[in-house]
Amino acid sequence: AQTVTQSQPEMSVQEAETVTLSCTYDTSESNYYLFWYKQPPSRQMILVIRQEAYKQQNATENRFSVNFQKAAKSFSLKISDSQLGDTAMYFCAFLTSGSRLTFGEGTQLTVNP
Amino acid sequence: NAGVTQTPKFQVLKTGQSMTLQCAQDMNHEYMSWYRQDPGMGLRLIHYSVGAGITDQGEVPNGYNVSRSTTEDFPLRLLSAAPSQTSVYFCASSYAGRAGANVLTFGAGSRLTVL
């Protein structure tokens, strides 16, 4: 079975600084997809970024980028120039075939002014 | 606005009662799913469907029942509610096809409390 582990239950960062959230996963599959979702206090699940395992280039979306290390099964999220609106729970997720998404436990990020 | 609509947003039940969480999407998505979110455990898949008339179990299906009679609707039924089913429930949908090519669209969530 696939597992996703986020080892940092809580993190904090000062506004305008950079923070990195960690995620590791375990799978025997060779072709898969990885995601970072954001859940603000509104509870809505919002896609932040997506990475396809067969692509070696790390995905980037504005201030959000990933460090995808396939051999190490690591998928960390870097947030640059942190903003107060980035305060949220962040979930790493792994997609198997058939659209079954497996989530990590989540990391609560607080951006301090 | 197009999207995934869940009702109700909040519900309190007594142990042993039954209820249905409704989920509807207007994007013609083939794939629909239900997750539950508990503190420290992320979101866990309860049941999912890849099309009308087709359903399958996820990671935590016990105590829940689903059906998919139309493309638009995917209700989740609690047959006899238990306190362990206190949680926030999310419905999500996407187009089917190449896995990962289609990102899930989530509903706003339903908070259920079982006393």
Side-chain angles (χ1 to χ4, degrees):
Chain A
Q2 286 80 14
T3 59
V4 179
T5 302
Q6 295 177 246
S7 59
Q8 306 151 315
E10 297 180 354
M11 294 191 72
S12 63
V13 64
Q14 292 300 121
E15 195 175 6
E17 292 187 346
T18 296
V19 63
T20 299
L21 309 183
S22 301
C23 173
T24 58
Y25 59 95
D26 187 24
T27 182
S28 58
E29 297 187 18
S30 59
N31 190 23
Y32 49 88
Y33 297 80
L34 294 159
F35 303 81
W36 278 98
Y37 279 88
K38 168 184 176 180
Q39 187 181 43
S42 67
R43 207 169 63 193
Q44 183 69 44
M45 293 290 289
I46 302 166
L47 177 68
V48 175
I49 200 163
R50 177 177 69 174
Q51 174 78 42
E52 299 175 65
Y54 65 88
K55 289 187 176 179
Q56 293 185 345
Q57 185 174 3
N58 289 327
T60 300
E61 289 287 342
N62 300 315
R63 297 182 296 106
F64 298 88
S65 61
V66 299
N67 183 5
F68 175 48
Q69 301 289 328
K70 190 172 184 179
K73 296 180 180 177
S74 171
F75 183 62
S76 60
L77 174 70
K78 185 172 82 171
I79 306 174
S80 304
D81 187 25
S82 297
Q83 301 175 0
L84 296 178
D86 295 333
T87 291
M89 182 73 82
Y90 287 81
F91 291 100
C92 178
F94 173 95
L95 185 67
T96 66
S97 58
S99 298
R100 295 184 59 158
L101 203 58
T102 300
F103 286 84
E105 307 91 336
T107 297
Q108 176 64 49
L109 175 68
T110 301
V111 180
N112 298 308
Chain B
N1 291 335
V4 178
T5 302
Q6 289 183 232
T7 56
K9 285 186 169 51
F10 301 93
Q11 183 72 49
V12 178
L13 289 178
K14 294 181 180 179
T15 297
Q17 288 184 319
S18 62
M19 77 156 297
T20 299
L21 296 175
Q22 301 290 346
C23 177
Q25 53 90 10
D26 58 2
M27 298 170 285
N28 204 30
H29 285 168
E30 299 95 343
Y31 178 84
M32 297 186 74
S33 55
W34 278 102
Y35 288 85
R36 60 176 288 172
Q37 180 180 11
D38 301 293
M41 303 186 76
L43 281 77
R44 293 179 292 169
L45 182 63
I46 304 171
H47 285 285
Y48 65 99
S49 168
V50 297
I54 305 170
T55 63
D56 205 348
Q57 296 181 349
E59 182 184 356
V60 288
N62 292 339
Y64 306 95
N65 195 12
V66 293
S67 60
R68 184 94 180 269
S69 57
T70 67
T71 299
E72 294 78 18
D73 300 299
F74 190 47
L76 179 71
R77 298 181 184 86
L78 281 70
L79 307 175
S80 178
S84 61
Q85 293 178 303
T86 293
S87 188
V88 177
Y89 292 84
F90 286 93
C91 180
S93 71
S94 74
Y95 293 110
R98 186 167 67 92
N102 302 299
V103 176
L104 287 174
T105 299
F106 283 84
S110 300
R111 179 177 293 278
L112 175 66
T113 301
V114 183
L115 303 176

